[in-house]
Amino acid sequence: MTSTSKPTPIDIDIDVAALNRKYAEERDKRKRSDAMGQYQALEGKFAAFGHDPHADPQFKRDAIIEDIDVLIIGGGFGGLLTGGRLREKGVQSLRIIEKGADFGGTWYWNRYPGAACDVESYIYLPMLEELGYLPSQRYPKAAEIYAHCQKLAQRFELYPAAFFQTQVQRVEWDESRQRWRVGTDREDMISARYVVSCTGLLSTPKLPGIPGIETFAGHAFHTSRWDYAYTGGNGDGNLTGLADKVVGIIGTGSTGIQTIPHLASSAKHLYVFQRTPSSVDVRNNAPTDPEFSKSLKPGWQRERRDNFTTIVGGGYAPVDMVQDSWTDIIRSVVPRLVDGTPMMDPDAVKLAEMTKMELTRRRVDAIVKDKAVAEALKPYFNYFCKRPCFHDEYLDAYNRPNVDLIDTKGNGVERITPRGVVVAGQEYPLDCLIFATGFDFLTDYSREAGMQVIGTGGQTLSKHWEEGPRTLYGFMTHGFPNFFTMSIAQAGAAVNYVHMADEQAKTIVHVITECMKKGVATIQPTEQAENEWVETIVSGAKGRRAFLEACTPGYYNYEGKRERAAALNDFYAAGPMAYVQLLDDWRANPDLPGLEKRFAGTDP
Ligand code: NDP
């Protein structure tokens, strides 16, 4: 085990002032007045980009009319964990509605070649001990994670409760019955005592609003709707359908980084259109060591997961159990005194971050042979302005003769024509164009979830959240009784998203089952509790504001133009483990403080 108490000694000369200037210069090149408005939703003439390539388009079923206790919207990890924990507590009257044709959420949709999780499998895949399962490798491929989702659904008998290929469109509070009326695109009419909305993060794909995008006459798709019928192959690559094709890809974020090596080895020619290079650190994947498996004691997963979230959340732990590139980043950029206290000196922190980023740039030089290409692949921004990436084959792809990096020097693609992509006046003709251009992130909740939510007195969630979310602890809202939203906004945000989803699921299930036990008909946060929590979030957000504003544009900072909702969309500033502790303490109080309860039989 490595002690986290010593800063990594690295002897690199850093000219902080020069790098600060370079970071600012690179950021300013990328700032655009249209910021978030530069993207295009998958609707109207782009609706076909959103079609599900995995589902049977002929699927039909009769509409259902039913009365149930709990309705869960979404069958990803959030929905699976909520459903699983409800089942553990004996709740049988349950329905799960999912847009895809199976459970899996992110891992149902994202099956692009190379798709994998960049968080260690032993802490990312939930309920490993309950399922008696250990993943085959440290950083699991998408197919293994997707299969794990199905195992969870089987283990907790969630399949009989599931409606797939169904989209919830309207959720409306019926005051007279004190239940939610839920309508779907298959004309189901469901009446539910509780609704838990687990519609996910980064689940609504977006396209760039590049002029001419609709005119492209070749084949095109978004990475989250990968068209294997066209490319051939599978999640491991071997895309035989591309052997005679000239392929272009726009986007070099976490998705682009994972899929580009497979496109490079399969396509006749690959053009990578880059706006901003990502930081790409080592991956070091490995099969699961049988000795590791033998060493595990009951409770190991929770301990390991908490240890990782503590360290990566900036806290201190005497040992680093995971010891990977994530924990290494934190060790490097949050230098500590020997007793483990973080160095609060902003200059020391800045120097440490710049040193870490310089090492990332040196890695590019060590791998990419062409010096000009290597230069273009170097990131110049604060490490946490964008999601760090990890890959051992990505940079090497640029050494192949069939791969060209078309660096747009921060400007982005200029135009798309019927034949291809134009950058700096030069057209690159393509057979196939792939968009690795990401997803909506904390925009309008109802729009992202694709449903209208109408609470007491006819008020919509969109209206109540017009300026940004208003919640208690991120998942309950005044005026929306018995309604829960799983999200990171106003909640704990962790690199291991599933960790936070699990803590929220536990808490939501606790509230529901306590209400059932005690005969509480409706529950919602008091206005005062909601206001106080919102104030906690907004005042905590002030600390991150200057950092985000100095960042190069990306979805973390609303593409460089702060929106009114930004402070309200922020996370619990005390950190993810403080959030876990807060929820633990709150659940331990039988009064569920901050909640307004109405008992069955009392007038609405
Ligand atoms: P991102 O939003 O991170 O990346 C979008 C990419 O598209 C960026 O490189 C962006 O450039 C580029 N782009 C957008 N518009 C243009 C344009 N007009 N011209 C040229 N380039 C353009 O999306 P991803 O799908 O890569 O990742 C989204 C998130 O999903 C990640 O941040 C991560 O949280 C999650 N993810 C997690 C994985 C995991 O292992 N756990 C794996 C994959 C994704 P620019 O940077 O300049 O905006």
Side-chain angles (χ1 to χ4, degrees):
M1 297 294 170
T2 302
S3 162
T4 55
S5 59
K6 286 189 199 139
T8 318
I10 299 164
D11 187 18
I12 291 181
D13 248 356
I14 297 286
D15 182 340
V16 174
L19 268 177
N20 269 334
R21 278 197 301 278
K22 175 79 174 157
Y23 281 16
E25 209 178 278
E26 292 295 324
R27 175 199 63 210
D28 293 346
K29 269 190 215 169
R30 290 168 173 83
K31 276 198 163 179
R32 304 167 44 135
S33 57
D34 55 359
M36 303 272 279
Q38 70 181 277
Y39 289 101
Q40 165 68 53
L42 273 55
E43 52 193 38
K45 54 190 167 201
F46 299 101
F49 276 91
H51 286 166
D52 182 350
H54 316 296
D56 170 9
Q58 306 303 328
F59 171 76
K60 284 197 176 56
R61 67 165 170 80
D62 292 335
I64 302 280
I65 299 176
E66 65 180 358
D67 250 30
I68 52 165
D69 284 342
V70 188
L71 175 83
I72 297 173
I73 306 171
F77 277 129
L80 284 162
L81 287 163
T82 307
R85 298 211 179 275
L86 281 166
R87 285 282 202 243
E88 278 183 331
K89 299 258 182 155
V91 175
Q92 290 307 320
S93 176
L94 183 67
R95 175 68 62 205
I96 302 179
I97 296 191
E98 163 57 47
K99 192 162 72 168
D102 207 329
F103 287 103
T106 293
W107 304 100
Y108 171 87
W109 296 106
N110 287 281
R111 305 189 199 186
Y112 58 84
C117 185
D118 62 12
V119 176
E120 196 197 52
S121 58
Y122 317 129
I123 54 170
Y124 181 79
L125 297 191
M127 295 190 166
L128 290 178
E129 290 187 76
E130 287 90 331
L131 265 63
Y133 175 69
L134 206 56
S136 64
Q137 49 187 337
R138 249 191 125 180
Y139 300 96
K141 290 184 185 163
E144 185 168 356
I145 308 175
Y146 179 42
H148 187 71
C149 293
Q150 293 160 349
K151 280 184 210 141
L152 283 170
Q154 277 150 6
R155 162 78 167 73
F156 294 107
E157 294 174 8
L158 299 177
Y159 275 103
F163 282 166
F164 295 118
Q165 290 181 257
T166 304
Q167 167 85 47
V168 170
Q169 292 181 318
R170 192 178 166 89
V171 182
E172 184 168 9
W173 180 245
D174 179 345
E175 191 70 41
S176 62
R177 295 192 65 218
Q178 302 196 344
R179 297 176 77 87
W180 289 98
R181 272 199 308 258
V182 180
T184 73
D185 62 351
R186 293 193 182 269
E187 294 174 6
D188 305 305
M189 275 308 303
I190 301 168
S191 165
R193 175 72 68 197
Y194 302 94
V195 172
V196 189
S197 176
C198 308
T199 49
L201 280 175
L202 298 162
S203 54
T204 309
K206 58 182 167 53
L207 294 171
I210 298 169
I213 180 171
E214 71 286 358
T215 67
F216 182 63
H219 196 72
F221 54 87
H222 188 275
T223 45
S224 69
R225 305 287 187 272
W226 195 272
D227 187 355
Y228 283 109
Y230 178 85
T231 66
N234 55 31
D236 292 326
N238 195 24
L239 310 169
T240 49
L242 299 182
D244 59 350
K245 302 285 190 298
V246 178
V247 178
I249 182 165
I250 299 180
T252 51
S254 308
T255 300
I257 299 303
Q258 291 183 335
T259 206
I260 283 166
H262 294 286
L263 291 172
S265 60
S266 294
K268 180 172 135 197
H269 199 91
L270 176 67
Y271 291 106
V272 178
F273 299 99
Q274 172 185 270
R275 187 165 67 181
T276 308
S278 284
S279 67
V280 187
D281 214 331
V282 291
R283 173 66 306 169
N284 267 338
N285 200 1
T288 297
D289 180 351
E291 292 307 312
F292 169 69
S293 158
K294 279 186 224 151
S295 73
L296 300 172
K297 306 268 179 324
W300 70 267
Q301 190 181 25
R302 179 173 188 158
E303 195 190 351
R304 193 173 178 93
R305 199 175 66 168
D306 287 357
N307 178 266
F308 178 83
T309 298
T310 300
I311 293 173
V312 178
Y316 173 71
V319 291
D320 172 0
M321 301 176 91
V322 171
Q323 294 188 55
D324 72 350
S325 292
W326 280 111
T327 61
D328 176 66
I329 299 170
I330 299 298
R331 255 200 313 279
S332 310
V333 305
V334 186
R336 289 178 184 281
L337 305 173
V338 262
D339 67 353
T341 328
M343 274 189 202
M344 297 314 285
D345 174 4
D347 291 341
V349 173
K350 183 87 193 166
L351 185 64
E353 177 280 315
M354 285 181 164
T355 306
K356 175 70 188 161
M357 216 39 169
E358 178 58 23
L359 287 173
T360 309
R361 290 189 287 269
R362 289 188 181 191
R363 182 164 186 258
V364 180
D365 276 331
I367 297 172
V368 178
K369 297 195 175 103
D370 182 305
K371 292 297 155 218
V373 175
E375 210 44 50
L377 285 165
K378 292 180 185 171
Y380 286 95
F381 47 79
N382 187 301
Y383 213 100
F384 292 108
C385 287
K386 284 188 180 275
R387 170 97 176 183
C389 300
F390 311 92
H391 211 285
D392 294 338
E393 289 89 37
Y394 171 70
L395 292 168
D396 200 34
Y398 295 97
N399 292 327
R400 299 180 67 104
N402 67 327
V403 177
D404 280 316
L405 176 71
I406 310 301
D407 181 35
T408 68
K409 301 190 176 8
N411 296 314
V413 164
E414 184 180 309
R415 208 153 29 92
I416 295 178
T417 66
R419 273 167 34 106
V421 164
V422 179
V423 174
Q426 185 177 340
E427 185 185 61
Y428 298 87
L430 304 170
D431 297 305
C432 173
L433 178 56
I434 299 169
F435 294 99
T437 46
F439 305 86
D440 282 347
F441 183 68
L442 300 181
T443 55
D444 178 282
Y445 188 86
S446 298
R447 191 178 65 79
E448 275 185 46
M451 63 191 187
Q452 183 74 270
V453 183
I454 304 156
T456 54
Q459 67 173 326
T460 62
L461 191 65
S462 299
K463 180 77 188 153
H464 187 59
W465 286 9
E466 204 173 15
E467 302 208 328
R470 303 193 64 80
T471 70
L472 175 63
Y473 304 144
F475 53 82
M476 285 174 288
T477 296
H478 182 75
F480 298 82
N482 297 4
F483 183 78
F484 304 87
T485 45
M486 206 179 258
S487 172
I488 57 170
Q490 301 194 355
V495 162
N496 184 5
Y497 167 70
V498 179
H499 185 184
M500 292 300 110
D502 199 11
E503 298 298 331
Q504 285 194 341
K506 257 195 274 180
T507 310
I508 292 168
V509 168
H510 175 78
V511 175
I512 292 174
T513 50
E514 283 300 293
C515 288
M516 286 174 162
K517 220 161 52 192
K518 294 177 178 163
V520 175
T522 68
I523 196 151
Q524 61 176 320
T526 63
E527 220 169 340
Q528 188 192 343
E530 181 176 294
N531 288 341
E532 282 170 10
W533 183 250
V534 168
E535 187 42 41
T536 302
I537 297 298
V538 170
S539 55
K542 289 184 188 136
R544 267 166 39 94
R545 186 171 177 163
F547 168 80
L548 287 172
E549 282 177 357
C551 275
T552 195
Y555 74 82
Y556 282 14
N557 69 351
Y558 297 87
E559 300 295 337
K561 194 171 172 185
R562 193 175 168 81
E563 303 234 320
R564 281 168 74 197
L568 288 168
N569 268 329
D570 221 302
F571 323 127
Y572 183 45
M577 285 311 292
Y579 180 72
V580 170
Q581 188 61 53
L582 182 134
L583 294 186
D584 279 351
D585 294 345
W586 187 71
R587 287 195 306 268
N589 186 331
D591 292 339
L592 299 176
L595 296 189
E596 202 172 279
K597 299 135 206 140
R598 184 180 292 147
F599 286 85
T602 57
D603 284 341

